[in-house]
mmCIF file of all heavy atoms in Angstrom:
data_model
loop_
_atom_site.group_PDB
_atom_site.id
_atom_site.type_symbol
_atom_site.label_atom_id
_atom_site.label_comp_id
_atom_site.label_asym_id
_atom_site.label_seq_id
_atom_site.Cartn_x
_atom_site.Cartn_y
_atom_site.Cartn_z
ATOM 1 N N ALA A 3 -1.468 -9.239 -6.955
ATOM 2 C CA ALA A 3 -0.136 -9.820 -6.761
ATOM 3 C C ALA A 3 -0.245 -11.230 -6.186
ATOM 4 O O ALA A 3 0.497 -12.146 -6.601
ATOM 5 C CB ALA A 3 0.692 -8.931 -5.839
ATOM 6 N N HIS A 4 -1.167 -11.426 -5.258
ATOM 7 C CA HIS A 4 -1.375 -12.754 -4.673
ATOM 8 C C HIS A 4 -1.883 -13.740 -5.724
ATOM 9 O O HIS A 4 -1.414 -14.891 -5.794
ATOM 10 C CB HIS A 4 -2.373 -12.654 -3.521
ATOM 11 C CG HIS A 4 -2.766 -13.980 -2.947
ATOM 12 N ND1 HIS A 4 -1.921 -14.759 -2.182
ATOM 13 C CD2 HIS A 4 -3.931 -14.694 -3.052
ATOM 14 C CE1 HIS A 4 -2.530 -15.875 -1.833
ATOM 15 N NE2 HIS A 4 -3.749 -15.863 -2.347
ATOM 16 N N ALA A 5 -2.826 -13.311 -6.542
ATOM 17 C CA ALA A 5 -3.364 -14.192 -7.586
ATOM 18 C C ALA A 5 -2.290 -14.552 -8.602
ATOM 19 O O ALA A 5 -2.211 -15.704 -9.072
ATOM 20 C CB ALA A 5 -4.544 -13.514 -8.279
ATOM 21 N N ILE A 6 -1.458 -13.585 -8.954
ATOM 22 C CA ILE A 6 -0.374 -13.826 -9.914
ATOM 23 C C ILE A 6 0.625 -14.826 -9.344
ATOM 24 O O ILE A 6 1.070 -15.757 -10.029
ATOM 25 C CB ILE A 6 0.307 -12.486 -10.274
ATOM 26 C CG1 ILE A 6 -0.607 -11.693 -11.218
ATOM 27 C CG2 ILE A 6 1.681 -12.700 -10.901
ATOM 28 C CD1 ILE A 6 -0.175 -10.257 -11.439
ATOM 29 N N ASP A 7 0.966 -14.662 -8.068
ATOM 30 C CA ASP A 7 1.913 -15.581 -7.422
ATOM 31 C C ASP A 7 1.316 -16.979 -7.284
ATOM 32 O O ASP A 7 1.990 -17.989 -7.530
ATOM 33 C CB ASP A 7 2.293 -15.018 -6.056
ATOM 34 C CG ASP A 7 3.285 -15.900 -5.328
ATOM 35 O OD1 ASP A 7 4.435 -16.029 -5.810
ATOM 36 O OD2 ASP A 7 2.922 -16.472 -4.270
ATOM 37 N N LYS A 8 0.049 -17.048 -6.911
ATOM 38 C CA LYS A 8 -0.598 -18.342 -6.674
ATOM 39 C C LYS A 8 -0.727 -19.162 -7.956
ATOM 40 O O LYS A 8 -0.599 -20.394 -7.938
ATOM 41 C CB LYS A 8 -1.972 -18.110 -6.056
ATOM 42 C CG LYS A 8 -2.732 -19.385 -5.715
ATOM 43 C CD LYS A 8 -4.058 -19.063 -5.034
ATOM 44 C CE LYS A 8 -4.808 -20.348 -4.697
ATOM 45 N NZ LYS A 8 -6.113 -20.064 -4.021
ATOM 46 N N THR A 9 -0.995 -18.502 -9.081
ATOM 47 C CA THR A 9 -1.236 -19.214 -10.346
ATOM 48 C C THR A 9 0.026 -19.393 -11.182
ATOM 49 O O THR A 9 -0.010 -20.092 -12.198
ATOM 50 C CB THR A 9 -2.272 -18.451 -11.186
ATOM 51 O OG1 THR A 9 -1.786 -17.129 -11.451
ATOM 52 C CG2 THR A 9 -3.609 -18.370 -10.459
ATOM 53 N N GLY A 10 1.127 -18.744 -10.794
ATOM 54 C CA GLY A 10 2.340 -18.822 -11.597
ATOM 55 C C GLY A 10 2.267 -17.983 -12.859
ATOM 56 O O GLY A 10 2.941 -18.278 -13.855
ATOM 57 N N TYR A 11 1.460 -16.943 -12.813
ATOM 58 C CA TYR A 11 1.322 -16.040 -13.965
ATOM 59 C C TYR A 11 2.648 -15.324 -14.210
ATOM 60 O O TYR A 11 3.304 -14.864 -13.272
ATOM 61 C CB TYR A 11 0.210 -15.038 -13.677
ATOM 62 C CG TYR A 11 -0.243 -14.207 -14.862
ATOM 63 C CD1 TYR A 11 -1.178 -14.704 -15.754
ATOM 64 C CD2 TYR A 11 0.259 -12.930 -15.057
ATOM 65 C CE1 TYR A 11 -1.609 -13.941 -16.833
ATOM 66 C CE2 TYR A 11 -0.166 -12.153 -16.123
ATOM 67 C CZ TYR A 11 -1.098 -12.666 -17.017
ATOM 68 O OH TYR A 11 -1.517 -11.907 -18.081
ATOM 69 N N GLN A 12 3.039 -15.198 -15.477
ATOM 70 C CA GLN A 12 4.364 -14.694 -15.825
ATOM 71 C C GLN A 12 4.346 -13.229 -16.257
ATOM 72 O O GLN A 12 4.948 -12.863 -17.267
ATOM 73 C CB GLN A 12 4.960 -15.570 -16.935
ATOM 74 C CG GLN A 12 5.165 -17.012 -16.540
ATOM 75 C CD GLN A 12 6.082 -17.146 -15.334
ATOM 76 O OE1 GLN A 12 7.215 -16.670 -15.344
ATOM 77 N NE2 GLN A 12 5.592 -17.799 -14.277
ATOM 78 N N ASN A 13 3.663 -12.407 -15.508
ATOM 79 C CA ASN A 13 3.737 -10.964 -15.736
ATOM 80 C C ASN A 13 3.158 -10.279 -14.499
ATOM 81 O O ASN A 13 2.912 -10.939 -13.486
ATOM 82 C CB ASN A 13 3.016 -10.545 -17.015
ATOM 83 C CG ASN A 13 3.764 -9.430 -17.748
ATOM 84 O OD1 ASN A 13 4.200 -8.468 -17.121
ATOM 85 N ND2 ASN A 13 3.908 -9.557 -19.059
ATOM 86 N N HIS A 14 2.898 -8.998 -14.562
ATOM 87 C CA HIS A 14 2.480 -8.258 -13.381
ATOM 88 C C HIS A 14 1.185 -7.487 -13.649
ATOM 89 O O HIS A 14 0.637 -7.538 -14.748
ATOM 90 C CB HIS A 14 3.585 -7.301 -12.919
ATOM 91 C CG HIS A 14 4.074 -6.390 -13.999
ATOM 92 N ND1 HIS A 14 5.194 -6.669 -14.758
ATOM 93 C CD2 HIS A 14 3.602 -5.210 -14.471
ATOM 94 C CE1 HIS A 14 5.391 -5.700 -15.637
ATOM 95 N NE2 HIS A 14 4.434 -4.806 -15.475
ATOM 96 N N TYR A 15 0.744 -6.776 -12.622
ATOM 97 C CA TYR A 15 -0.498 -6.010 -12.670
ATOM 98 C C TYR A 15 -0.187 -4.526 -12.606
ATOM 99 O O TYR A 15 0.725 -4.095 -11.902
ATOM 100 C CB TYR A 15 -1.401 -6.399 -11.497
ATOM 101 C CG TYR A 15 -2.595 -5.476 -11.294
ATOM 102 C CD1 TYR A 15 -3.688 -5.505 -12.152
ATOM 103 C CD2 TYR A 15 -2.616 -4.559 -10.236
ATOM 104 C CE1 TYR A 15 -4.774 -4.658 -11.965
ATOM 105 C CE2 TYR A 15 -3.701 -3.716 -10.039
ATOM 106 C CZ TYR A 15 -4.772 -3.761 -10.911
ATOM 107 O OH TYR A 15 -5.839 -2.922 -10.730
ATOM 108 N N ARG A 16 -0.952 -3.736 -13.363
ATOM 109 C CA ARG A 16 -0.880 -2.287 -13.291
ATOM 110 C C ARG A 16 -2.304 -1.733 -13.198
ATOM 111 O O ARG A 16 -3.086 -1.854 -14.150
ATOM 112 C CB ARG A 16 -0.184 -1.697 -14.524
ATOM 113 C CG ARG A 16 1.305 -1.974 -14.587
ATOM 114 C CD ARG A 16 2.054 -1.134 -13.565
ATOM 115 N NE ARG A 16 3.488 -1.340 -13.665
ATOM 116 C CZ ARG A 16 4.179 -2.186 -12.904
ATOM 117 N NH1 ARG A 16 3.549 -2.927 -11.994
ATOM 118 N NH2 ARG A 16 5.484 -2.301 -13.040
ATOM 119 N N GLY A 17 -2.615 -1.142 -12.077
ATOM 120 C CA GLY A 17 -3.928 -0.532 -11.917
ATOM 121 C C GLY A 17 -3.930 0.904 -12.419
ATOM 122 O O GLY A 17 -2.901 1.595 -12.375
ATOM 123 N N VAL A 18 -5.075 1.351 -12.903
ATOM 124 C CA VAL A 18 -5.258 2.765 -13.246
ATOM 125 C C VAL A 18 -6.598 3.218 -12.660
ATOM 126 O O VAL A 18 -7.568 2.461 -12.641
ATOM 127 C CB VAL A 18 -5.224 3.039 -14.770
ATOM 128 C CG1 VAL A 18 -3.876 2.675 -15.356
ATOM 129 C CG2 VAL A 18 -6.338 2.312 -15.499
ATOM 130 N N PHE A 19 -6.627 4.444 -12.186
ATOM 131 C CA PHE A 19 -7.860 5.005 -11.631
ATOM 132 C C PHE A 19 -8.512 5.904 -12.663
ATOM 133 O O PHE A 19 -7.874 6.844 -13.161
ATOM 134 C CB PHE A 19 -7.576 5.810 -10.365
ATOM 135 C CG PHE A 19 -8.805 6.484 -9.819
ATOM 136 C CD1 PHE A 19 -9.776 5.753 -9.151
ATOM 137 C CD2 PHE A 19 -9.010 7.852 -9.994
ATOM 138 C CE1 PHE A 19 -10.916 6.363 -8.662
ATOM 139 C CE2 PHE A 19 -10.149 8.472 -9.507
ATOM 140 C CZ PHE A 19 -11.109 7.724 -8.841
ATOM 141 N N PRO A 20 -9.784 5.659 -13.023
ATOM 142 C CA PRO A 20 -10.483 6.530 -13.975
ATOM 143 C C PRO A 20 -10.814 7.873 -13.321
ATOM 144 O O PRO A 20 -11.601 7.934 -12.375
ATOM 145 C CB PRO A 20 -11.766 5.751 -14.313
ATOM 146 C CG PRO A 20 -11.575 4.378 -13.729
ATOM 147 C CD PRO A 20 -10.628 4.531 -12.600
ATOM 148 N N ILE A 21 -10.230 8.923 -13.827
ATOM 149 C CA ILE A 21 -10.387 10.236 -13.201
ATOM 150 C C ILE A 21 -11.851 10.652 -13.141
ATOM 151 O O ILE A 21 -12.283 11.327 -12.202
ATOM 152 C CB ILE A 21 -9.544 11.282 -13.955
ATOM 153 C CG1 ILE A 21 -8.051 10.943 -13.807
ATOM 154 C CG2 ILE A 21 -9.806 12.687 -13.441
ATOM 155 C CD1 ILE A 21 -7.130 11.828 -14.633
ATOM 156 N N LYS A 22 -12.649 10.231 -14.128
ATOM 157 C CA LYS A 22 -14.056 10.643 -14.170
ATOM 158 C C LYS A 22 -14.842 10.198 -12.946
ATOM 159 O O LYS A 22 -15.877 10.785 -12.618
ATOM 160 C CB LYS A 22 -14.741 10.096 -15.422
ATOM 161 C CG LYS A 22 -14.861 8.578 -15.483
ATOM 162 C CD LYS A 22 -15.617 8.118 -16.711
ATOM 163 C CE LYS A 22 -15.642 6.599 -16.828
ATOM 164 N NZ LYS A 22 -14.308 6.062 -17.194
ATOM 165 N N VAL A 23 -14.390 9.151 -12.262
ATOM 166 C CA VAL A 23 -15.134 8.612 -11.119
ATOM 167 C C VAL A 23 -15.109 9.582 -9.940
ATOM 168 O O VAL A 23 -16.077 9.688 -9.188
ATOM 169 C CB VAL A 23 -14.567 7.233 -10.718
ATOM 170 C CG1 VAL A 23 -15.259 6.690 -9.477
ATOM 171 C CG2 VAL A 23 -14.719 6.256 -11.879
ATOM 172 N N ASN A 24 -14.004 10.279 -9.774
ATOM 173 C CA ASN A 24 -13.910 11.340 -8.772
ATOM 174 C C ASN A 24 -12.753 12.241 -9.176
ATOM 175 O O ASN A 24 -11.595 11.894 -9.001
ATOM 176 C CB ASN A 24 -13.699 10.786 -7.365
ATOM 177 C CG ASN A 24 -13.895 11.849 -6.294
ATOM 178 O OD1 ASN A 24 -13.482 12.995 -6.445
ATOM 179 N ND2 ASN A 24 -14.534 11.475 -5.193
ATOM 180 N N GLN A 25 -13.083 13.402 -9.726
ATOM 181 C CA GLN A 25 -12.074 14.273 -10.314
ATOM 182 C C GLN A 25 -11.476 15.266 -9.332
ATOM 183 O O GLN A 25 -10.626 16.075 -9.714
ATOM 184 C CB GLN A 25 -12.704 15.056 -11.482
ATOM 185 C CG GLN A 25 -13.235 14.157 -12.581
ATOM 186 C CD GLN A 25 -14.427 14.746 -13.319
ATOM 187 O OE1 GLN A 25 -15.129 15.591 -12.775
ATOM 188 N NE2 GLN A 25 -14.664 14.305 -14.544
ATOM 189 N N GLN A 26 -11.888 15.205 -8.066
ATOM 190 C CA GLN A 26 -11.437 16.191 -7.095
ATOM 191 C C GLN A 26 -9.925 16.109 -6.905
ATOM 192 O O GLN A 26 -9.357 15.022 -6.758
ATOM 193 C CB GLN A 26 -12.156 15.989 -5.762
ATOM 194 C CG GLN A 26 -13.669 16.067 -5.858
ATOM 195 C CD GLN A 26 -14.149 17.399 -6.401
ATOM 196 O OE1 GLN A 26 -13.662 18.456 -6.014
ATOM 197 N NE2 GLN A 26 -15.102 17.360 -7.318
ATOM 198 N N CYS A 27 -9.301 17.263 -6.875
ATOM 199 C CA CYS A 27 -7.848 17.352 -6.845
ATOM 200 C C CYS A 27 -7.242 16.574 -5.684
ATOM 201 O O CYS A 27 -6.265 15.835 -5.854
ATOM 202 C CB CYS A 27 -7.424 18.818 -6.791
ATOM 203 S SG CYS A 27 -5.652 19.093 -6.706
ATOM 204 N N HIS A 28 -7.816 16.736 -4.489
ATOM 205 C CA HIS A 28 -7.266 16.078 -3.313
ATOM 206 C C HIS A 28 -7.301 14.557 -3.463
ATOM 207 O O HIS A 28 -6.377 13.851 -3.048
ATOM 208 C CB HIS A 28 -8.058 16.495 -2.066
ATOM 209 C CG HIS A 28 -7.525 15.936 -0.797
ATOM 210 N ND1 HIS A 28 -6.413 16.434 -0.158
ATOM 211 C CD2 HIS A 28 -7.930 14.884 -0.042
ATOM 212 C CE1 HIS A 28 -6.168 15.731 0.931
ATOM 213 N NE2 HIS A 28 -7.080 14.791 1.026
ATOM 214 N N VAL A 29 -8.366 14.037 -4.081
ATOM 215 C CA VAL A 29 -8.497 12.598 -4.284
ATOM 216 C C VAL A 29 -7.451 12.093 -5.282
ATOM 217 O O VAL A 29 -6.751 11.098 -5.031
ATOM 218 C CB VAL A 29 -9.922 12.254 -4.778
ATOM 219 C CG1 VAL A 29 -10.023 10.784 -5.164
ATOM 220 C CG2 VAL A 29 -10.946 12.603 -3.704
ATOM 221 N N ILE A 30 -7.332 12.775 -6.415
ATOM 222 C CA ILE A 30 -6.382 12.337 -7.451
ATOM 223 C C ILE A 30 -4.951 12.421 -6.936
ATOM 224 O O ILE A 30 -4.128 11.515 -7.189
ATOM 225 C CB ILE A 30 -6.555 13.185 -8.730
ATOM 226 C CG1 ILE A 30 -7.970 13.045 -9.282
ATOM 227 C CG2 ILE A 30 -5.530 12.778 -9.781
ATOM 228 C CD1 ILE A 30 -8.390 11.640 -9.631
ATOM 229 N N GLU A 31 -4.621 13.468 -6.220
ATOM 230 C CA GLU A 31 -3.261 13.608 -5.693
ATOM 231 C C GLU A 31 -2.940 12.494 -4.704
ATOM 232 O O GLU A 31 -1.825 11.956 -4.708
ATOM 233 C CB GLU A 31 -3.087 14.973 -5.032
ATOM 234 C CG GLU A 31 -3.005 16.124 -6.026
ATOM 235 C CD GLU A 31 -2.835 17.467 -5.348
ATOM 236 O OE1 GLU A 31 -2.988 17.533 -4.101
ATOM 237 O OE2 GLU A 31 -2.547 18.455 -6.052
ATOM 238 N N GLU A 32 -3.888 12.127 -3.855
ATOM 239 C CA GLU A 32 -3.654 11.055 -2.895
ATOM 240 C C GLU A 32 -3.469 9.717 -3.604
ATOM 241 O O GLU A 32 -2.597 8.913 -3.236
ATOM 242 C CB GLU A 32 -4.813 10.970 -1.897
ATOM 243 C CG GLU A 32 -4.644 9.911 -0.810
ATOM 244 C CD GLU A 32 -3.452 10.166 0.086
ATOM 245 O OE1 GLU A 32 -3.026 11.334 0.218
ATOM 246 O OE2 GLU A 32 -2.932 9.179 0.656
ATOM 247 N N ILE A 33 -4.280 9.466 -4.629
ATOM 248 C CA ILE A 33 -4.134 8.222 -5.401
ATOM 249 C C ILE A 33 -2.766 8.167 -6.071
ATOM 250 O O ILE A 33 -2.079 7.137 -6.055
ATOM 251 C CB ILE A 33 -5.267 8.100 -6.433
ATOM 252 C CG1 ILE A 33 -6.596 7.832 -5.733
ATOM 253 C CG2 ILE A 33 -4.963 6.999 -7.453
ATOM 254 C CD1 ILE A 33 -7.802 7.915 -6.633
ATOM 255 N N ALA A 34 -2.358 9.278 -6.670
ATOM 256 C CA ALA A 34 -1.055 9.313 -7.347
ATOM 257 C C ALA A 34 0.088 9.133 -6.359
ATOM 258 O O ALA A 34 1.042 8.382 -6.619
ATOM 259 C CB ALA A 34 -0.902 10.627 -8.113
ATOM 260 N N ASN A 35 0.009 9.788 -5.211
ATOM 261 C CA ASN A 35 1.105 9.721 -4.237
ATOM 262 C C ASN A 35 1.213 8.354 -3.589
ATOM 263 O O ASN A 35 2.282 7.742 -3.567
ATOM 264 C CB ASN A 35 0.921 10.805 -3.163
ATOM 265 C CG ASN A 35 1.092 12.206 -3.706
ATOM 266 O OD1 ASN A 35 1.744 12.408 -4.729
ATOM 267 N ND2 ASN A 35 0.499 13.183 -3.032
ATOM 268 N N PHE A 36 0.088 7.854 -3.053
ATOM 269 C CA PHE A 36 0.149 6.549 -2.397
ATOM 270 C C PHE A 36 0.339 5.432 -3.419
ATOM 271 O O PHE A 36 1.027 4.450 -3.157
ATOM 272 C CB PHE A 36 -1.123 6.293 -1.590
ATOM 273 C CG PHE A 36 -1.084 4.987 -0.844
ATOM 274 C CD1 PHE A 36 -0.441 4.910 0.386
ATOM 275 C CD2 PHE A 36 -1.654 3.835 -1.368
ATOM 276 C CE1 PHE A 36 -0.377 3.703 1.074
ATOM 277 C CE2 PHE A 36 -1.596 2.629 -0.688
ATOM 278 C CZ PHE A 36 -0.951 2.569 0.538
ATOM 279 N N GLY A 37 -0.269 5.581 -4.591
ATOM 280 C CA GLY A 37 -0.198 4.525 -5.597
ATOM 281 C C GLY A 37 1.151 4.368 -6.246
ATOM 282 O O GLY A 37 1.390 3.386 -6.962
ATOM 283 N N GLU A 38 2.067 5.306 -6.013
ATOM 284 C CA GLU A 38 3.368 5.244 -6.695
ATOM 285 C C GLU A 38 4.131 3.964 -6.364
ATOM 286 O O GLU A 38 4.809 3.394 -7.209
ATOM 287 C CB GLU A 38 4.207 6.471 -6.323
ATOM 288 C CG GLU A 38 5.497 6.571 -7.118
ATOM 289 C CD GLU A 38 6.177 7.915 -6.965
ATOM 290 O OE1 GLU A 38 5.575 8.831 -6.356
ATOM 291 O OE2 GLU A 38 7.311 8.056 -7.457
ATOM 292 N N LYS A 39 3.996 3.475 -5.134
ATOM 293 C CA LYS A 39 4.712 2.253 -4.749
ATOM 294 C C LYS A 39 4.236 1.040 -5.553
ATOM 295 O O LYS A 39 4.955 0.049 -5.681
ATOM 296 C CB LYS A 39 4.546 1.987 -3.261
ATOM 297 C CG LYS A 39 3.147 1.591 -2.819
ATOM 298 C CD LYS A 39 3.081 1.230 -1.336
ATOM 299 C CE LYS A 39 3.190 2.458 -0.471
ATOM 300 N NZ LYS A 39 2.970 2.139 0.961
ATOM 301 N N TYR A 40 3.002 1.123 -6.082
ATOM 302 C CA TYR A 40 2.454 0.042 -6.904
ATOM 303 C C TYR A 40 2.460 0.390 -8.395
ATOM 304 O O TYR A 40 1.944 -0.385 -9.202
ATOM 305 C CB TYR A 40 1.009 -0.254 -6.481
ATOM 306 C CG TYR A 40 0.863 -0.679 -5.044
ATOM 307 C CD1 TYR A 40 0.301 0.192 -4.100
ATOM 308 C CD2 TYR A 40 1.274 -1.939 -4.619
ATOM 309 C CE1 TYR A 40 0.143 -0.189 -2.781
ATOM 310 C CE2 TYR A 40 1.119 -2.328 -3.296
ATOM 311 C CZ TYR A 40 0.561 -1.443 -2.377
ATOM 312 O OH TYR A 40 0.418 -1.830 -1.067
ATOM 313 N N HIS A 41 3.025 1.542 -8.753
ATOM 314 C CA HIS A 41 2.976 2.047 -10.136
ATOM 315 C C HIS A 41 1.522 2.149 -10.613
ATOM 316 O O HIS A 41 1.184 1.768 -11.728
ATOM 317 C CB HIS A 41 3.792 1.156 -11.080
ATOM 318 C CG HIS A 41 5.200 0.936 -10.618
ATOM 319 N ND1 HIS A 41 6.084 1.968 -10.430
ATOM 320 C CD2 HIS A 41 5.871 -0.208 -10.282
ATOM 321 C CE1 HIS A 41 7.245 1.493 -10.012
ATOM 322 N NE2 HIS A 41 7.140 0.174 -9.904
ATOM 323 N N HIS A 42 0.673 2.658 -9.720
ATOM 324 C CA HIS A 42 -0.755 2.797 -10.017
ATOM 325 C C HIS A 42 -0.965 4.073 -10.820
ATOM 326 O O HIS A 42 -0.548 5.159 -10.409
ATOM 327 C CB HIS A 42 -1.555 2.869 -8.711
ATOM 328 C CG HIS A 42 -2.959 2.404 -8.825
ATOM 329 N ND1 HIS A 42 -3.344 1.092 -8.645
ATOM 330 C CD2 HIS A 42 -4.102 3.078 -9.114
ATOM 331 C CE1 HIS A 42 -4.652 0.973 -8.797
ATOM 332 N NE2 HIS A 42 -5.133 2.171 -9.094
ATOM 333 N N GLY A 43 -1.617 3.952 -11.978
ATOM 334 C CA GLY A 43 -1.747 5.072 -12.893
ATOM 335 C C GLY A 43 -3.132 5.673 -12.932
ATOM 336 O O GLY A 43 -3.951 5.492 -12.028
ATOM 337 N N LEU A 44 -3.409 6.389 -14.021
ATOM 338 C CA LEU A 44 -4.669 7.108 -14.179
ATOM 339 C C LEU A 44 -5.238 6.865 -15.572
ATOM 340 O O LEU A 44 -4.494 6.663 -16.529
ATOM 341 C CB LEU A 44 -4.459 8.612 -13.969
ATOM 342 C CG LEU A 44 -3.999 9.050 -12.574
ATOM 343 C CD1 LEU A 44 -3.573 10.518 -12.587
ATOM 344 C CD2 LEU A 44 -5.094 8.827 -11.529
ATOM 345 N N GLU A 45 -6.563 6.906 -15.667
ATOM 346 C CA GLU A 45 -7.266 6.821 -16.947
ATOM 347 C C GLU A 45 -7.911 8.155 -17.232
ATOM 348 O O GLU A 45 -8.533 8.761 -16.353
ATOM 349 C CB GLU A 45 -8.335 5.720 -16.898
ATOM 350 C CG GLU A 45 -9.089 5.531 -18.201
ATOM 351 C CD GLU A 45 -10.394 6.338 -18.265
ATOM 352 O OE1 GLU A 45 -10.871 6.785 -17.209
ATOM 353 O OE2 GLU A 45 -10.913 6.525 -19.384
ATOM 354 N N ALA A 46 -7.727 8.645 -18.469
ATOM 355 C CA ALA A 46 -8.253 9.950 -18.868
ATOM 356 C C ALA A 46 -9.204 9.780 -20.042
ATOM 357 O O ALA A 46 -8.856 9.135 -21.036
ATOM 358 C CB ALA A 46 -7.111 10.893 -19.243
ATOM 359 N N GLY A 47 -10.379 10.384 -19.929
ATOM 360 C CA GLY A 47 -11.359 10.298 -20.996
ATOM 361 C C GLY A 47 -11.597 11.614 -21.705
ATOM 362 O O GLY A 47 -12.516 11.724 -22.517
#
């Protein structure tokens, strides 16, 4: 967000977490819950 604001970029960022990196339920649930404020998503392989 800081880089986008600093450069005048005309769109936004959306992060996704690759589930394969750590598939444990507690980890994925925490990422989904806390990440909601940033619209942070998930990658599925």
Side-chain angles (χ1 to χ4, degrees):
H4 174 72
I6 285 169
D7 181 66
K8 182 177 180 180
T9 59
Y11 191 84
Q12 298 302 304
N13 218 315
H14 53 264
Y15 169 74
R16 290 287 183 264
V18 297
F19 176 75
I21 295 174
K22 65 177 176 289
V23 176
N24 192 320
Q25 300 150 336
Q26 302 301 316
C27 178
H28 183 78
V29 173
I30 300 301
E31 287 180 349
E32 182 63 25
I33 290 171
N35 292 337
F36 183 83
E38 187 168 352
K39 69 175 73 173
Y40 300 108
H41 307 300
H42 206 89
L44 296 169
E45 182 266 343

